[in-house]
Amino acid sequence: MSDRGIPPPSVVVLGSLHMDLIGTAAHLPGKGASVLGRFAMAPGGKGAAQAVQMARLGLRVALITQLGRDQFGDTLAAAMVAFGVDPTHIVRHAGAATGASTVITAGGEYFSVIDPGAAGRLGLDAIEAAGPAIAAAQALVLQLEVPPALSARAAEIAAAAGVPVVLNTAPPTDWDGLPASLRAATGLLVANAAEVAVLIGRRPDARAPDAALEALMRRTGVPAAAITFGADGAAACYGGQSAAAPSWPVAVVDTVGAGDAFLGAFVAAWLRGAPPAAALRRATAAGALAVGRAGAIAALPDLAELDAALARGAVA
């Protein structure tokens, strides 16, 4: 889906960028226990991961976020440039440390503790400064790792310019608790099963994807939605069509970043006019490629890898 001769879609992402401090072990430690394992540092944050995934799939992507003026900030800013993400709207804050996340992963499972740091102190002035870029984009992508008021203002700018807003409801939140302007502007909602459970008040059934989509879209009023069910696949509805797709067989290394890989590939296909079935096939393949490798951003596939996996019908 390189669409040669057609300029790639332009996307602005507002979200978090922090340093992941990743410990990998044979099993997760119990309360008060320590285990031997491996340790690594890598770029993290849902906003950054989604921006990188779309950039790796050929979209023009700018990221709005904030870093400290410290070593982590220097490393992360350079990493975004290396991954092809436009750093114009990555603000540096002299009075706050760059955010960090401690991630412990074992057997394909993980947990983490996140300190947003400078990203959590991003101000409305940064949103206003990025306003022209938002208004000129073909989509604005939001999550909930930055203060909702910032996402709401970015969504207002996008809505005024006719730019579709993609909202990833992570971390999970009550729909009514979000700013009204953010809810009204959302044109595509992407959520996993746990997030949908919070939104609609019950766990969605992967065996009845159309019913899950209907319940989500009726509750939120959004015109388009995608739900991921982990190993049970995914489903989506937009443009009067709905589809479901199974997950791809893969040996799971860790699940960090799988949802961001899915979202990035799904939005890339959606913006290029793919129907739900085709968008889901690409997105579930991207997610499977990501879980087959260690890390979050480092595990995200590029366009050649994704196209090759789709051509051979397998991700391994």
Side-chain angles (χ1 to χ4, degrees):
M1 290 190 66
S2 58
D3 293 332
R4 293 180 183 178
I6 301 175
S10 171
V11 178
V12 173
V13 180
L14 167 61
S16 58
L17 170 59
H18 56 246
M19 185 66 78
D20 278 346
L21 313 173
I22 307 166
T24 304
H27 60 86
L28 295 176
K31 184 177 180 180
S34 299
V35 295
L36 292 175
R38 303 185 307 278
F39 181 82
M41 294 192 301
K46 295 195 73 64
Q50 292 169 9
V52 168
Q53 181 62 92
M54 288 184 283
R56 300 204 82 194
L57 296 179
L59 275 62
R60 293 173 293 141
V61 184
L63 175 64
I64 307 170
T65 194
Q66 184 164 252
L67 302 171
R69 292 190 178 276
D70 49 28
Q71 185 175 356
F72 278 179
D74 293 344
T75 300
L76 293 172
M80 290 301 101
V81 173
F83 281 119
V85 174
D86 182 348
T88 301
H89 301 290
I90 297 179
V91 182
R92 303 298 292 270
H93 192 300
T98 297
S101 170
T102 301
V103 181
I104 305 297
T105 179
E109 300 297 326
Y110 77 98
F111 60 79
S112 66
V113 177
I114 301 171
D115 177 359
R121 296 173 64 175
L122 188 69
L124 283 170
D125 55 339
I127 307 303
E128 300 299 341
I134 295 171
Q138 287 167 273
L140 170 68
V141 176
L142 306 169
Q143 323 81 33
L144 299 174
E145 286 189 339
V146 298
L150 302 185
S151 293
R153 180 58 190 138
E156 290 165 7
I157 295 170
V163 175
V165 174
V166 179
L167 177 62
N168 177 208
T169 52
T173 191
D174 175 66
W175 183 251
D176 292 333
L178 295 174
S181 59
L182 175 56
R183 287 182 277 131
T186 299
L188 169 62
L189 193 152
V190 181
N192 65 27
E195 293 152 7
V196 173
V198 174
L199 291 169
I200 68 174
R202 65 180 186 277
R203 185 85 177 181
D205 188 347
R207 297 167 299 180
D210 284 345
L213 287 164
E214 181 183 0
L216 178 61
M217 296 170 74
R218 183 174 61 251
R219 172 68 182 87
T220 61
V222 299
I227 303 173
T228 58
F229 296 100
D232 292 321
C237 180
Y238 58 85
Q241 300 180 53
S242 63
S247 61
W248 294 64
V250 63
V252 175
V253 174
D254 72 52
T255 58
V256 180
D260 301 323
F262 176 94
L263 183 142
F266 187 86
V267 170
W270 175 67
L271 285 174
R272 286 172 165 146
L280 285 171
R281 187 166 185 266
R282 295 187 69 81
T284 52
L289 287 165
V291 303
R293 296 183 282 218
I297 289 177
L300 301 173
D302 62 22
L303 183 60
E305 291 174 309
L306 181 56
D307 283 346
L310 291 164
R312 66 175 179 266
V315 297

